[in-house]
Amino acid sequence: MKVSLKWLQEYVDVVLPAADLAGRLTMAGSEVKGIQVTGGWENIVVGQITAINPHPNADRLRLTTIDLGSEQHTVVCGAPNLNCGDKVAFAYINAQLTDPHSGKLFRLKPAKIRGVASDGMACSERELGISDNHEEIMILPDEAPLGMPLADYLGDSIFDLDITPNRPDCLSVIGIARETAALTGQGLHIAEVEYEEAEVSIDRQVSVEIDAPDLCPRYCASLIEGIRLAPSPPWLQQRLISYGIRPINNIVDITNYVMLEYGQPLHAFDYERLRGKKIIVRRADAGEVIVTLDDVERTLSSDMLVIADEERAVAIAGVMGGANSEVAGVTGSILLEAAGFNPASIHHTGDALRLPSEARMRFERGISPELALPALRRATQLIIQLAGGKAAQGLIDVYPGKRERLPIRLTIGMVERLLGVAFNLDRIVGALTSLGFDCEVTASEVRVTPPYWRSDISLAVDLIEEVARTLGYDKIPAAMLSQPLPRHSPEPVLDLKRRVRQSLTGYGFQEVITYSLTSLEKLGKLLPGTGEVRPVPLRMANPMTADQEYLRPNLRPSLLVALEANRRHESGGIKLFELGKVYLPRPNDLPGEPEVLCGILSGPRQERSWLGDSEPVDFFDARGVVEGLLDRLGIDADFKEGSDKGLHPRRQVSIVIAGSNAGIIGEVHSRVVEAFEISEPVYLFEIDLAACLPFTANCKAFQPVPRFPAMVRDIALVVSSGVTHQRVRDIVKSFPLAARVEIFDVYAGEQVPEGKKSLAYRITFQSPTHTLTDEEVNGVQRQILDRLSSELGASLRS
Amino acid sequence: MLQQLEELKLNALQELGSIGSPGELEDWRVRYLGKKSELSMLLRRLAALPLEERKAVGTLANELKAHLEDSRRQKELALQELAASAREEALDITLPGRPVPTGRLHPLTQTLDEICDIFVSMGFQVVEGPEVEWDYYNFEALNIPGEHPARDNMATLWVDFEAENGERPMLLRTHTTSVTARIIEGATPPIRAVEPGKVYRYEASDATHVPMFHQIDGIAVDKGITMADLKGTLYEFARRFFGEDRKVRFRCDYFPFVEPGVEMAIECSVCGGEGCRLCGGSGWIEILGAGMTHPEVLRRGGIDPEVYSSFAFGMGIDRLPMLRYGIDDIRLLYGSDLRFLRQF
Ligand SMILES: [Zn+2]
């Protein structure tokens, strides 16, 4: 919200420089985001046009004589809008102005225009930097004093304030004046509102009935007869313009002005057009139609509140007036409304009709219904002053929602308990009093009644914040928590996640973080068969874009997209991983959110270097990463044939930990790779961290270092090509003395019969209890070979 | 005879000096020390000489032979060293080394780890909660009922979901404060926790907005916790994260779940408080919101605000690496571009 310093000064003495005041307001909760200084004009004064003569050499130019009070100047002028008697801003030679075309500042130089010397100029708003208007010379109000520097007459500082949603009272000049007064120790001076009333009582001319007191706690109105609709005086127009509000006519402008001044929205009805001379505040009928002031026909629903006369709705309460009751005639009577409305209802209605407005914003934030009457009286006074007319006697005030405000109990101890600093009673009471709170001090406590405009205060903690922010948050000391430490029980998954991330970066993988939302289309690309994603992932009810409609059930699409995007500028190996949640729908509950690690790799195994090129990565690189990671985490895993549809059917293996599935390793299916517009093989691994978690506990028993020497034997087997390494290994490992089994060669081709392959193993025999003899090892080796031969048909390679 | 020996020595040593390869050295050895060398011949002829002369010449000739043999050996070593050093010079030590794999943690991970470590060292525990959340924990439990204006500032992504009872709206959490609500509900004081994680807003992407970003919230509940403790804790955090010399500002602000409410800002690093584009001319950069947990929020979670007091805070994470590294577009953080990510 904007506040003009000049306007503010009408209610409070500003004793600080603007920047310091802005600092105080900011620290106390109303952030000043910027101060716009208008003015700073040098060598520009108020002048009056006393004569306009034709230019001797040009039809479109005129010679204008400008009186500055003590001197007169003749300037050449091309603008069409000047008349004798107009007050203008006169710039002396050397004045600094804005170039209307380039927008840059320049100094006015003496000039001859078509042979006539011009010793100064009359400025447009654009040249003064006030607005973009360069069509016309700016005309100043008649009361502008001749010869007065323009900076003194028009200069101002406009504060741009960010008002927090709890302080609708600060959405007004008076509200900020109250804050300023409290924060700077100055008094407020708000003039009494007085005006003359006619003989006839308002009650005899109009009646008000509230049918929906839950949505309208209060409705006040005044009636003013015999007004003259006209443009507002320039000072009023100027003020509205500086707030970005377009002046319309004196009545509408005054309602806007009082809204800015007091924070209470008002609405004026044409009294003549109110049928039955009756106001009924009621819920709209379903489908009820009203044409609003912006000439749009709007269909209402039954949860919206309208202001109606006896026959029809004449306004959407708190949101926008109806065209059917707009003040139209040049003279006439108006009914002026100031009411309190339910914030939620206004919010809902405004949202449904997509009608944002200054009035709506104030109602939504819950301005106090108490504000209605003082604001109504102020607006009535201004209308009588500026539009003539006479107010009917009395006001209408229907107030079904009036609530007694009970005092709130506050003690020094309560303040100290929350703030950690002991303020004495005088300072506490002083702070609250300066903000308009009524403090009744007893022996043991203060009974505090908030002022009517503070709808946000209901608890002692609210009062404590008032005390703290008025005295200054900088008065609160900084202390360290001195209580005993709470019991420490860290979530083990956090440690696991850190270790996994550290390991993967160590293996050369770059971590990425991508959006959790994706599209069904991308997920479908992962399934080369049907493309049908089952189960259907969680969908957003209001997605931002079609690309971000579903919560991802796996991390694959974003990694494949990232690979494709990076491949455009990266010719080396790409290894990426993401560790994040996936979202698995559950009936009638929040989704499961397991943490999943997903990694992909493609391209050369090693960075290209002068030491030689490298082969492209393959399945065993992916498997190696997983084995290395699990080994590092201390997890024993089995690997079984996998059946993931998105992976190459014969190049994938599922990771099994303690009998249950914990992830997958494989080559991404060529059709999936194609669907993501990637033109190279991609290998992928996926691990469910929850499946790993129970087996990562750091409590494994220590294994003694072997005390007796090991004996190493190499054997080369010939087996059918269908026999897997795992089957051989399992058999060898089943002999306790075979402490380690390593495969060091796999070969098929010459010297090995068709349909067979050779597998070479190094077996390390070791006993924890004694030194093995040759005979002993020979015996075990024979048994091993016997079993390999009988179960797998293996023979020793000669 | 003696003169002949003198000459021989002179010639042999002179020749040896100019030898540059092992082959030449071998030729030289044959010529001067070989069986058919002048010296060997001479020694063989010694017997024919008179005794006196034989003695004198013999001694000299043997000395010469030993000397030449010695010189040869030295030359041989010198040649070997030469050859070795020639081999070493062949290594161009300016060539780059054999590449080892390097991967990096995402800058947001690094930042979150750093922040969590600071709070853990102050006795806080790291807790995570669901990203898909009930309206209750994201709003209701935090004093933000249905039509509260604070909801307008947190445009929400709603999940297309209808429970059997038709109610219980489900959403993507708009702040990690939802985890605070869950902690308050589930635990008995004393509590000290920080809650990092992803949050979501219905917001179009641009250089300063993305629909998903990161936050960390924190809560402490115990007897006798005051706003001074909040200030001390957050100042300590700021000191450690931003450095000793950064000025910190504590001002009044409003959040529905705290009272009194606080906004903490640090001095702008670009302009040093003078005001610039980055800080919007204020000289300060807002870092976090905080305050004393609202008694209604505690009560709703089953904690008696008359017995316990509590502070809470929450901050956006993405801005921190952006400030630290001068990153001017938040979308880079979620773009997976290796040219960007490899810089951290
Ligand atoms: Zn700055």
Side-chain angles (χ1 to χ4, degrees):
Chain A
M1 203 212 39
K2 289 181 180 175
V3 168
S4 139
L5 194 59
K6 265 202 165 156
W7 195 357
L8 192 66
Q9 281 166 329
E10 291 178 14
Y11 311 103
V12 62
D13 294 326
V14 175
V15 293
L16 298 175
D20 292 1
L21 175 60
R24 291 277 181 92
L25 288 168
T26 299
M27 291 300 284
S30 297
E31 187 187 3
V32 179
K33 288 184 294 184
I35 304 173
Q36 188 201 342
V37 179
T38 56
W41 301 293
E42 282 169 48
N43 296 322
I44 303 174
V45 297
V46 177
Q48 184 168 31
I49 295 171
T50 52
I52 299 175
N53 291 306
H55 191 289
N57 306 325
D59 289 349
R60 308 234 320 264
L61 297 177
R62 290 182 292 175
L63 297 184
T64 312
T65 307
I66 298 178
D67 181 15
L68 305 179
S70 53
E71 49 186 294
Q72 294 208 333
H73 291 265
T74 301
V75 301
V76 178
C77 188
N81 68 318
L82 291 183
N83 291 306
C84 267
D86 282 349
K87 294 258 176 89
V88 296
F90 172 79
Y92 284 104
I93 298 303
N94 231 3
Q96 185 166 281
L97 296 169
T98 305
D99 184 305
H101 307 295
S102 70
K104 288 184 184 141
L105 292 176
F106 74 102
R107 290 235 174 241
L108 187 62
K109 296 199 179 70
K112 265 191 179 177
I113 300 172
R114 293 287 192 102
V116 178
S118 186
D119 54 353
M121 76 187 260
C123 308
S124 69
E125 290 187 1
R126 170 94 168 138
E127 283 158 337
L128 292 168
I130 292 174
S131 80
D132 281 342
N133 185 353
H134 189 55
E135 309 297 299
E136 304 174 330
I137 297 296
M138 183 165 99
I139 308 296
L140 298 173
D142 284 343
E143 65 268 22
L146 275 194
M148 182 185 252
L150 192 68
D152 293 352
Y153 181 62
L154 272 190
D156 198 358
S157 294
I158 308 283
F159 285 18
D160 185 8
L161 287 146
D162 205 353
I163 302 299
T164 54
N166 60 326
R167 293 298 304 274
D169 63 304
C170 282
L171 294 168
S172 66
V173 183
I174 287 179
I176 297 300
R178 289 192 188 108
E179 290 285 299
T180 304
L183 295 172
T184 60
Q186 299 296 310
L188 267 181
H189 25 85
I190 297 170
E192 273 307 306
V193 172
E194 280 172 294
Y195 54 83
E196 239 180 276
E197 292 178 354
E199 295 286 303
V200 188
S201 162
I202 189 170
D203 293 330
R204 292 177 48 190
Q205 300 172 74
V206 67
S207 66
V208 171
E209 187 183 311
I210 301 178
D211 275 3
D214 54 330
L215 303 185
C216 176
R218 188 180 198 184
Y219 197 97
C220 304
S222 68
L223 179 64
I224 307 146
E225 294 164 290
I227 57 110
R228 285 189 65 84
L229 207 62
S232 304
W235 67 264
L236 178 49
Q237 295 201 18
Q238 207 62 46
R239 228 161 228 179
L240 293 180
I241 289 169
S242 73
Y243 274 76
I245 297 175
R246 195 165 54 90
I248 293 170
N249 58 47
N250 48 9
I251 302 300
V252 175
D253 292 356
I254 287 167
T255 60
N256 280 330
Y257 180 82
V258 173
M259 177 179 73
L260 296 174
E261 188 184 31
Y262 276 71
Q264 167 73 45
L266 299 120
H267 185 68
F269 296 100
D270 191 328
Y271 175 70
E272 310 302 337
R273 298 171 75 182
L274 291 176
R275 297 184 186 164
K277 306 305 168 206
K278 191 168 187 186
I279 289 287
I280 302 159
V281 186
R282 59 164 169 87
R283 284 182 164 80
D285 300 326
E288 188 169 356
V289 167
I290 182 172
V291 177
T292 43
L293 282 173
D294 53 0
D295 278 329
V296 177
E297 187 179 284
R298 300 182 189 272
T299 306
L300 308 178
S301 60
S302 59
D303 52 1
M304 295 174 177
L305 189 69
V306 295
I307 312 300
D309 61 16
E310 221 167 41
E311 296 173 12
R312 71 245 157 106
V314 291
I316 305 169
V319 175
M320 197 181 257
N324 56 12
S325 58
E326 186 179 5
V327 180
V330 178
T331 60
S333 303
I334 58 162
L335 185 80
L336 193 59
E337 161 203 295
F341 296 119
N342 177 299
S345 156
I346 298 286
H347 178 87
H348 172 77
T349 304
D351 237 24
L353 299 174
R354 290 165 206 264
L355 274 173
S357 75
E358 290 267 331
R360 176 189 154 191
M361 188 254 291
R362 286 171 170 81
F363 282 123
E364 278 175 2
R365 293 183 179 200
I367 49 166
S368 163
E370 288 290 329
L371 193 56
L373 208 60
L376 179 66
R377 287 177 48 78
R378 168 64 170 158
T380 307
Q381 176 201 36
L382 272 175
I383 286 173
I384 294 167
Q385 270 175 23
L386 302 178
K390 204 151 198 196
Q393 198 185 78
L395 298 164
I396 285 183
D397 184 4
V398 185
Y399 200 171
K402 186 166 179 65
R403 276 199 220 140
E404 208 55 54
R405 290 201 87 167
L406 296 173
I408 302 163
R409 208 183 131 256
L410 188 68
T411 66
I412 301 179
M414 287 158 79
V415 176
E416 187 179 359
R417 176 177 179 262
L418 207 64
L419 299 183
V421 56
F423 290 124
N424 67 35
L425 194 66
D426 283 352
R427 297 188 76 187
I428 293 170
V429 170
L432 291 170
T433 309
S434 73
L435 288 163
F437 290 72
D438 182 49
C439 296
E440 188 195 323
V441 181
T442 71
S444 57
E445 61 185 48
V446 193
R447 295 164 63 77
V448 186
T449 310
Y452 71 80
W453 57 86
R454 292 301 299 272
S455 47
D456 60 314
I457 305 285
S458 59
L459 301 172
V461 286
D462 299 330
L463 296 176
I464 294 169
E465 177 177 90
E466 294 304 303
V467 171
R469 72 184 187 89
T470 310
L471 297 177
Y473 276 13
D474 52 347
K475 303 288 188 307
I476 296 167
M480 282 312 277
L481 287 166
S482 53
Q483 289 80 359
L485 287 177
R487 205 168 62 88
H488 185 65
S489 48
E491 290 184 21
V493 70
L494 297 168
D495 180 55
L496 175 62
K497 287 202 285 187
R498 265 200 198 195
R499 287 165 67 197
V500 166
R501 286 191 169 109
Q502 293 290 0
S503 296
L504 278 151
T505 53
Y507 303 147
F509 282 74
Q510 170 65 51
E511 186 186 18
V512 298
I513 297 178
T514 61
Y515 295 123
S516 311
L517 290 162
T518 187
S519 66
L520 217 48
E521 186 217 342
K522 282 211 190 82
L523 291 168
K525 285 182 184 176
L526 294 171
L527 303 162
T530 58
E532 210 178 325
V533 185
R534 285 288 176 273
V536 176
L538 230 47
R539 199 183 82 87
M540 294 298 103
N542 57 334
M544 282 288 310
T545 60
D547 216 32
Q548 300 190 339
E549 195 177 350
Y550 289 88
L551 275 169
R552 58 185 179 187
N554 64 63
L555 304 179
R556 294 180 191 184
S558 16
L559 284 169
L560 289 168
V561 167
L563 173 68
E564 190 274 327
N566 276 297
R567 186 47 87 208
R568 293 182 209 169
H569 53 76
E570 174 62 64
S571 60
I574 296 180
K575 301 181 189 173
L576 305 173
F577 81 95
E578 177 161 15
L579 201 173
K581 290 178 164 182
V582 299
Y583 311 84
L584 309 178
R586 291 191 292 212
N588 272 314
D589 202 354
L590 296 176
E593 296 186 13
E595 297 270 6
V596 169
L597 166 71
C598 186
I600 56 168
L601 50 166
S602 82
R605 182 169 298 138
Q606 272 193 328
E607 219 181 292
R608 202 182 146 90
S609 116
W610 63 278
L611 289 157
D613 278 348
S614 148
E615 295 287 301
V617 292
D618 60 26
F619 174 83
F620 297 102
D621 289 279
R623 178 161 172 157
V625 169
V626 172
E627 285 170 338
L629 174 68
L630 294 176
D631 184 43
R632 198 155 164 193
L633 298 174
I635 296 172
D636 289 323
D638 289 323
F639 297 92
K640 301 223 165 88
E641 244 170 68
S643 59
D644 188 297
K645 298 264 188 306
L647 302 178
H648 187 298
R650 293 172 55 207
R651 292 185 196 149
Q652 58 171 298
V653 62
S654 67
I655 307 164
V656 180
I657 299 174
S660 47
N661 224 328
I664 193 111
I665 309 166
E667 179 178 339
V668 180
H669 198 290
S670 60
R671 278 163 62 193
V672 174
V673 170
E674 267 166 39
F676 282 89
E677 290 169 30
I678 299 168
S679 52
E680 62 190 326
V682 181
Y683 300 90
L684 169 149
F685 56 87
E686 234 171 29
I687 301 178
D688 178 2
L689 290 204
C692 299
L693 198 58
F695 308 99
T696 56
N698 230 343
C699 57
K700 277 197 181 166
F702 142 83
Q703 294 286 318
V705 174
R707 283 205 293 149
F708 301 98
M711 209 173 276
V712 173
R713 294 282 166 87
D714 289 349
I715 56 169
L717 303 172
V718 175
V719 293
S720 306
S721 42
V723 173
T724 62
H725 153 69
Q726 178 134 4
R727 295 176 68 189
V728 177
R729 200 193 72 123
D730 288 349
I731 289 172
V732 179
K733 283 286 270 185
S734 67
F735 291 84
L737 285 183
R740 281 176 54 171
V741 190
E742 297 154 89
I743 182 158
F744 64 87
D745 190 38
V746 179
Y747 176 77
E750 267 182 72
Q751 300 158 1
V752 176
E754 278 277 313
K756 302 251 176 195
K757 65 182 174 185
S758 152
L759 303 174
Y761 289 89
R762 168 159 294 186
I763 307 172
T764 304
F765 295 93
Q766 196 153 37
S767 159
T769 57
H770 62 283
T771 302
L772 294 174
T773 62
D774 262 336
E775 293 74 56
E776 214 175 346
V777 171
N778 289 344
V780 179
Q781 190 175 327
R782 230 181 347 267
Q783 290 172 36
I784 290 175
L785 290 171
D786 285 349
R787 273 196 56 196
L788 289 172
S789 157
S790 63
E791 290 178 29
L792 304 178
S795 58
L796 265 185
R797 189 175 169 195
S798 44
Chain B
M1 204 74 156
L2 288 175
Q3 201 183 345
Q4 202 184 341
L5 276 176
E6 231 8 78
E7 244 168 65
L8 185 70
K9 180 180 175 183
L10 221 65
N11 288 344
L13 291 180
Q14 204 173 5
E15 262 181 59
L16 185 68
S18 60
I19 279 173
S21 72
E24 286 168 1
L25 185 62
E26 182 56 18
D27 291 348
W28 181 89
R29 189 192 64 77
V30 172
R31 187 151 65 250
Y32 290 104
L33 294 166
K35 278 185 185 130
K36 289 177 182 165
S37 66
E38 205 176 332
L39 192 58
S40 300
M41 306 287 214
L42 195 138
L43 281 169
R44 255 176 253 138
R45 291 210 304 275
L46 270 185
L49 293 180
L51 184 67
E52 282 296 296
E53 210 181 339
R54 188 188 331 162
K55 235 181 172 174
V57 173
T59 314
L60 254 172
N62 276 317
E63 273 176 17
L64 178 61
K65 187 175 180 188
H67 182 68
L68 288 180
E69 186 56 47
D70 220 40
S71 301
R72 192 199 65 81
R73 214 169 290 128
Q74 273 176 28
K75 184 73 190 180
E76 190 177 51
L77 280 173
L79 283 175
Q80 275 169 10
E81 247 168 63
L82 204 68
S85 79
R87 260 203 310 281
E88 274 159 22
E89 265 164 29
L91 198 62
D92 178 357
I93 45 94
T94 65
L95 285 167
R98 200 177 299 278
V100 291
T102 49
R104 284 160 215 276
L105 292 176
H106 194 283
L108 286 169
T109 304
Q110 295 181 32
T111 308
L112 276 168
D113 283 353
E114 187 179 341
I115 294 171
C116 287
D117 287 348
I118 292 172
F119 283 107
V120 165
S121 78
M122 293 195 266
F124 286 75
Q125 193 160 309
V126 183
V127 177
E128 292 183 326
E131 292 172 21
V132 184
E133 192 48 285
W134 299 117
D135 180 287
Y136 178 79
Y137 292 108
N138 197 76
F139 289 128
E140 296 279 342
L142 296 170
N143 245 358
I144 314 174
E147 308 282 350
H148 197 285
R151 287 197 179 204
D152 289 351
N153 299 333
M154 291 194 279
T156 308
L157 276 160
W158 297 94
V159 176
D160 183 15
F161 161 85
E162 203 164 316
E164 272 161 2
N165 60 10
E167 273 299 315
R168 303 196 86 190
M170 197 192 278
L171 49 79
L172 300 192
R173 66 180 177 196
T174 58
H175 49 192
T176 41
T177 321
S178 58
V179 188
T180 298
R182 283 179 175 270
I183 290 172
I184 291 176
E185 187 183 75
T188 34
I191 301 166
R192 287 186 208 177
V194 286
E195 310 112 42
K198 290 176 179 143
V199 300
Y200 301 83
R201 300 278 169 91
Y202 183 88
E203 219 153 30
S205 292
D206 62 27
T208 51
H209 299 90
V210 276
M212 179 189 93
F213 49 100
H214 288 74
Q215 283 188 347
I216 188 166
D217 263 72
I219 174 113
V221 188
D222 206 340
K223 288 175 184 158
I225 285 183
T226 70
M227 203 154 153
D229 295 318
L230 170 64
K231 201 171 183 178
T233 303
L234 293 182
Y235 273 31
E236 181 61 16
F237 161 75
R239 238 193 316 278
R240 293 202 212 169
F241 191 87
F242 298 105
E244 289 288 331
D245 306 328
R246 278 309 256 302
K247 283 207 192 98
V248 182
R249 182 180 83 175
F250 230 55
R251 57 170 284 264
C252 179
D253 202 349
Y254 169 75
F255 306 98
F257 35 89
V258 289
E259 190 78 27
V262 174
E263 175 223 270
M264 190 173 87
I266 52 158
E267 196 178 47
C268 175
S269 59
V270 171
C271 61
E274 293 292 311
C276 68
R277 239 192 53 183
L278 178 70
C279 56
S282 69
W284 295 97
I285 291 176
E286 293 166 22
I287 290 302
L288 58 81
M292 302 305 292
T293 314
H294 198 284
E296 203 44 53
V297 173
L298 290 176
R299 199 171 287 128
R300 229 188 272 256
I303 292 173
D304 184 354
E306 303 293 327
V307 178
Y308 293 102
S309 55
S310 162
F311 68 68
F313 58 88
M315 75 181 126
I317 298 302
D318 302 59
R319 270 191 97 193
L320 302 177
M322 290 180 74
L323 288 171
R324 185 175 278 184
Y325 303 112
I327 300 165
D328 57 0
D329 190 331
I330 191 172
R331 288 169 295 192
L332 284 168
L333 292 171
Y334 299 99
S336 305
D337 190 326
L338 286 168
R339 294 168 297 184
F340 171 77
L341 293 171
R342 280 176 180 152
Q343 297 177 35
F344 302 97

